[in-house]
């Protein structure tokens, strides 16, 4: 793009876009081992270290670290497990803790200086997490009701008259089997991608206006853009935590609906 558009010449400024999220491999010859994979591996190590450390610290008067661990465990156990699934929640609690911890840490990579990139901002990771949840809750339902029984369970709501089956069954199958993993993944990906892209736009645009343009008004706009990027950055922290919560809530809800006697 050439010429002047408003305050600055655009031929020397390349705005961030989808290509900004396509990262090269960290090790030549291993195209799958990129920054996203490294962050995911490090997150698993950190999560395991945290929960193993919390499991060993059983002092009667908890330390600050133990208090954080117990608060996190109680939150997932009571709010995301017991309240959403019911009396059988304990068997699914390890998975809920693992998925909440993994999504939270990988979202929060977007706030650290050496990473500044949420793992789920690449759609493949969001698809993978949603696919794992999809396999789990459908597998639980099939194990409980059998293949045919589970198919009836998720496609025929109780109390629906027989004459409505041709309309209801395809809609319920589409909603419960096909749409759920798509919405679960795209909700997480879209929030992480859009938030990071917005921060990039304001940071890179502000840096260009401030350092690489001559008019004073451009420099003022650059300072304002950088300041505003900090506000967006703060909002992103809230969104990253919220999306980890929402992802785990929906996971628990899907498990509950797959195992409930009636839905």
């Amino acid at each position: 793009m050439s010429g002047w558009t408003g305050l600055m010449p655009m031929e020397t400024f390349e705005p961030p876009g989808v290509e900004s999220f396509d990262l090269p491999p960290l090790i030549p010859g291993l195209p799958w081992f990129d920054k996203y994979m490294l962050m995911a591996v490090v997150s698993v190590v950190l999560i395991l270290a945290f929960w193993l450390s919390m499991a060993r610290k059983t002092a009667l008067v908890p330390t600050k670290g133990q208090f954080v661990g117990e608060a996190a465990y109680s939150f997932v156990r009571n709010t995301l497990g017991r309240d959403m699934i019911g009396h059988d929640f304990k068997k699914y609690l390890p998975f809920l803790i693992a998925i909440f911890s993994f999504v939270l840490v990988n979202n929060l990579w977007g706030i650290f200086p050496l990473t500044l990139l949420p793992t789920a901002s690449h759609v493949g990771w969001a698809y993978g997490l949603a696919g794992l949840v999809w396999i789990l809750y459908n597998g639980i339902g099939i194990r409980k009701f059998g293949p045919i029984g589970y198919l009836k369970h998720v496609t025929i709501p109780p109390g629906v008259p027989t004459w409505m089956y041709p309309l209801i069954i395809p809609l319920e199958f589409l909603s419960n089997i096909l749409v759920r993993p798509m919405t679960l993944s795209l909700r997480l990906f879209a929030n992480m991608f859009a938030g990071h892209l917005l921060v990039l736009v304001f940071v890179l645009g502000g840096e260009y206006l401030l350092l690489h343009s001559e008019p004073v008004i451009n420099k003022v706009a650059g300072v304002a853009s950088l300041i505003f990027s900090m506000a967006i950055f703060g909002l992103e922290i809230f969104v990253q935590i919220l999306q980890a919560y929402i992802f785990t809530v929906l996971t628990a809800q899907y498990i509950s609906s797959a195992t409930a006697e009636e839905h």
Side-chain angles (χ1 to χ4, degrees):
M1 182 182 298
S2 62
W4 289 79
T5 58
L7 298 177
M8 61 182 177
M10 293 298 290
E11 69 266 18
T12 58
F13 177 69
E14 296 182 3
V18 177
E19 65 279 356
S20 302
F21 296 81
D22 295 329
L23 305 179
L26 297 177
I27 301 176
L30 294 177
W32 53 269
F33 193 80
D34 53 12
K35 186 176 181 179
Y36 297 103
M37 178 61 72
L38 179 62
M39 292 189 298
V41 171
V42 173
S43 72
V44 171
V45 174
L46 293 177
I47 292 167
L48 285 174
F50 173 78
W51 286 114
L52 288 175
S53 175
M54 291 302 103
R56 293 174 181 174
K57 294 180 179 180
T58 56
L60 183 61
V61 179
T63 62
K64 293 181 180 180
Q66 184 181 347
F67 176 80
V68 171
E70 290 179 353
Y73 173 81
S74 298
F75 173 74
V76 177
R77 180 186 186 277
N78 298 332
T79 305
L80 305 180
R82 184 186 61 193
D83 294 350
M84 297 297 299
I85 298 176
H87 66 280
D88 289 332
F89 77 96
K90 289 184 178 180
K91 65 178 71 174
Y92 311 114
L93 186 57
F95 181 80
L96 294 179
I97 291 176
I99 202 74
F100 177 76
S101 301
F102 185 82
V103 175
L104 178 62
V105 173
N106 280 278
N107 286 354
L108 291 176
W109 282 132
I111 69 174
F112 290 100
L114 296 179
T115 54
L116 286 177
L117 184 71
T119 307
S121 61
H122 193 289
V123 71
W125 285 94
Y127 284 155
L129 289 169
L132 181 63
V133 173
W134 184 85
I135 292 172
L136 176 72
Y137 78 76
N138 282 302
I140 292 171
I142 291 172
R143 181 179 180 182
K144 181 172 183 177
F145 298 103
I148 303 300
Y150 178 67
L151 190 60
K152 293 180 179 178
H153 177 71
V154 298
T155 57
I156 305 177
V160 174
T162 306
W163 63 269
M164 291 190 66
Y165 283 3
L167 176 63
I168 294 297
I169 290 176
L171 291 176
E172 289 291 309
F173 181 86
L174 182 68
S175 173
N176 295 327
I177 303 299
L178 300 181
V179 174
R180 278 183 176 181
M182 295 300 297
T183 56
L184 188 63
S185 60
L186 292 179
R187 181 184 293 106
L188 177 62
F189 161 72
N191 279 277
M192 296 301 101
F193 176 86
H196 186 65
L197 183 61
L198 192 60
V199 171
L200 281 178
V201 168
F202 279 94
V203 170
L204 295 180
E207 184 268 344
Y208 177 82
L209 288 169
L210 183 61
L211 301 179
H212 304 286
S213 61
E214 294 300 329
V216 176
I217 190 173
N218 282 16
K219 297 185 181 296
V220 173
V223 173
S225 179
L226 291 173
I227 294 174
F228 193 64
S229 71
M230 294 298 101
I232 297 175
F233 195 73
L235 178 62
E236 270 303 289
I237 298 175
F238 171 75
V239 172
Q240 289 161 0
I241 297 172
L242 179 64
Q243 286 304 311
Y245 168 76
I246 291 175
F247 194 94
T248 314
V249 163
L250 292 175
T251 298
Q253 180 184 341
Y254 295 160
I255 293 173
S256 176
S257 65
T259 57
E261 294 300 330
E262 292 185 355
H263 72 289

